[in-house]
Amino acid sequence: MKWTPVADFTHHAHTASLSAVAVNSRFVVTGSKDETIHIYDMKKKIDHGALVHHNGTITCLKFYGNRHLISGAEDGLICVWDAKKWECLKSIKAHKGQVTFLSIHPSGKLALSVGTDKTLRTWNLVEGRSAFIKNIKQNAHIVEWSPRGEKYVVVILNKIDVYHLDTASVSGTITNEKRISSVTFLSESVLAVAGDEEVVRFFDCDSLTCLCQFKAHENRVKDMFSFEIPEHHVIVTASSDGFIKMWKLQQDKKVPPSLLCEVNTNSRLTCLGVWLDRATDVKESLPLAAQPSHVSKEEQPKINRKESGDGVQEEERQSEPNMKKRGSSGDGEKPAGGDSLVSAKKRKMAGMLEKKKRKKKKI
């Protein structure tokens, strides 16, 4: 069986190259070196606006269900966004360097992040604060939870450290031939690994052995994504050669997958997301104990100054959700300025309403 790819939505999203992409059941969001996050409504096939809060390249974007988006950037911040009103609910100074990658636990209660300060940080998303900081010897550039959340992997150059949640210690290390660019779990124990080469490998995280490998592209594989639909378990690969390819996985992961389809985008691909037009995701929102505070742009310098000191205690204190609500009205119609959805229509509407109010006052 062969699939036929057809392009049905194209948009010039950013003024610089894309660095991250995330997808939920309705929206696709893209992050860029231009420091903005753009939102696309895939049901309506329209540009939905942009989020501007970070100062620096957006390095990672992750949805949890349909209610929350979490972003990380070179400014060291991790931001939690309301994916309905598109407001910044919480802004945490997460790393002293850049945030390079983050991953949300399947339960939505924990998140992991890695940064250029050579730390792996665990975040308590229920309380919105730092839970644990582990120093690692080098800068990790990928962290990923397994589907059930019983283990996670941390990638440093061409090595993958496998951690078990109950011990929070390394149970083993997988070594790839070249620097790793992307990993994706195919099951609780099988990990697909792509790097600065044409080959994709499947590793067993328990035995730490390579199950199989296959040539996927003519150039380095930049990103991968796997998903399941009835009768098919699919892995999608994107490469610097401009091709996006979809592969059908075999039940036995020792057998290389078969090609379903490919498309040449004639572009130098940097990241990949898959939007599946299907029913609403069961994971609706993060299990936050208390609604996080809205963060306005004016509060940003205060946060930065507060976190210039060292130590875990400083960061844990700052991260608690005790900031006063600012910059948001009761009905949520006018989100806080710089941190929220930038929409030309909304700005125009707000201006017209303001003029009407002034006319009434004069009368």
Side-chain angles (χ1 to χ4, degrees):
M1 188 187 94
K2 286 277 181 180
W3 290 3
T4 308
V6 179
D8 71 342
F9 179 73
T10 305
H11 189 81
H12 188 81
H14 296 272
T15 57
S17 62
L18 271 71
S19 49
V21 62
V23 181
N24 71 4
S25 67
R26 179 164 184 176
F27 295 102
V28 169
V29 294
T30 57
S32 167
K33 290 185 176 180
D34 66 9
E35 307 182 357
T36 66
I37 299 166
H38 279 250
I39 308 155
Y40 297 93
D41 185 327
M42 296 311 292
K43 301 279 189 186
K44 296 179 181 177
K45 299 286 192 297
I46 57 166
D47 180 352
H48 195 70
L51 304 173
V52 285
H53 184 89
H54 288 287
N55 294 310
T57 298
I58 311 300
T59 53
C60 41
L61 293 165
K62 299 284 177 180
F63 272 111
Y64 185 82
N66 290 312
R67 195 65 212 241
H68 291 96
L69 171 72
I70 300 185
S71 62
E74 284 184 350
D75 55 9
L77 294 179
I78 286 177
C79 295
V80 180
W81 301 89
D82 181 325
K84 299 283 186 192
K85 297 176 184 176
W86 295 107
E87 294 175 330
C88 183
L89 299 174
K90 189 154 188 66
S91 180
I92 304 167
K93 180 66 179 171
H95 288 268
K96 286 171 188 164
Q98 303 168 9
V99 179
T100 49
F101 213 88
L102 61 89
S103 183
I104 304 167
H105 189 270
S107 68
K109 293 178 181 178
L110 292 173
L112 292 168
S113 68
V114 288
T116 54
D117 55 2
K118 296 180 182 175
T119 63
L120 165 66
R121 298 182 184 233
T122 308
W123 301 96
N124 179 333
L125 293 179
V126 177
E127 296 176 22
R129 63 179 182 85
S130 172
F132 186 73
I133 299 171
K134 180 180 175 63
N135 291 311
I136 46 184
K137 289 174 184 175
Q138 290 170 283
N139 289 328
H141 61 283
I142 300 172
V143 61
E144 197 71 64
W145 286 104
S146 64
R148 290 205 300 265
E150 291 169 8
K151 60 172 74 78
Y152 54 93
V153 293
V154 176
V155 180
I156 301 167
L157 299 173
N158 68 324
K159 294 188 186 298
I160 303 165
D161 287 331
V162 182
Y163 289 78
H164 278 270
L165 181 60
D166 49 3
T167 60
S169 58
V170 179
S171 62
T173 301
I174 293 166
T175 304
N176 196 46
E177 285 193 22
K178 298 278 179 75
R179 185 186 184 276
I180 295 161
S181 55
S182 178
V183 300
T184 186
F185 276 95
L186 306 178
S187 68
E188 190 62 21
S189 59
V190 179
L191 186 71
V193 179
D196 290 349
E197 55 188 329
E198 305 87 5
V199 171
V200 172
R201 295 183 179 86
F202 296 167
F203 286 95
D204 186 303
C205 290
D206 299 323
S207 66
L208 309 174
T209 56
C210 179
L211 300 174
C212 79
Q213 67 177 56
F214 62 99
K215 185 181 175 181
H217 291 271
E218 295 301 319
N219 207 323
R220 69 183 66 176
V221 180
K222 291 294 288 183
D223 208 354
M224 295 185 297
F225 190 90
S226 78
F227 64 90
E228 289 185 67
I229 54 173
E231 298 175 23
H232 285 80
H233 188 176
V234 179
I235 185 168
V236 190
T237 57
S239 166
S240 296
D241 64 11
F243 277 87
I244 298 169
K245 296 187 181 185
M246 300 182 82
W247 310 80
K248 183 186 176 182
L249 291 164
Q250 311 301 324
Q251 208 153 13
D252 182 357
K253 299 300 182 288
K254 290 179 182 177
V255 180
S258 55
L259 186 66
L260 285 167
C261 67
E262 61 181 37
V263 59
N264 188 358
T265 64
N266 295 307
S267 303
R268 190 172 169 273
L269 301 173
T270 55
C271 49
L272 169 78
V274 174
W275 178 70
L276 298 168
D277 189 3
R278 59 187 184 190
T280 305
D281 201 320
V282 282
K283 298 181 292 187
E284 265 302 305
S285 60
L286 293 170
L288 299 166
Q291 186 71 358
S293 317
H294 297 285
V295 180
S296 69
K297 202 74 176 176
E298 303 96 73
E299 284 175 306
Q300 198 58 46
K302 293 180 194 173
I303 295 168
N304 289 339
R305 281 200 297 272
K306 212 182 221 181
E307 280 136 8
S308 58
D310 295 328
V312 179
Q313 283 184 322
E314 282 265 338
E315 293 191 24
E316 289 193 354
R317 254 203 319 272
Q318 177 272 325
S319 303
E320 287 169 14
N322 59 0
M323 286 180 257
K324 289 179 184 175
K325 283 196 178 185
R326 289 176 63 183
S328 65
S329 58
D331 60 8
E333 278 300 302
K334 289 203 282 183
D339 303 335
S340 306
L341 184 61
V342 178
S343 166
K345 281 184 183 175
K346 282 195 176 182
R347 284 201 299 269
K348 203 172 181 182
M349 285 284 288
M352 285 164 71
L353 288 168
E354 197 60 41
K355 281 179 186 176
K356 280 182 183 177
K357 281 180 188 175
R358 282 179 197 152
K359 279 182 184 176
K360 280 182 183 177
K361 280 180 183 177
K362 282 177 185 176
I363 291 161

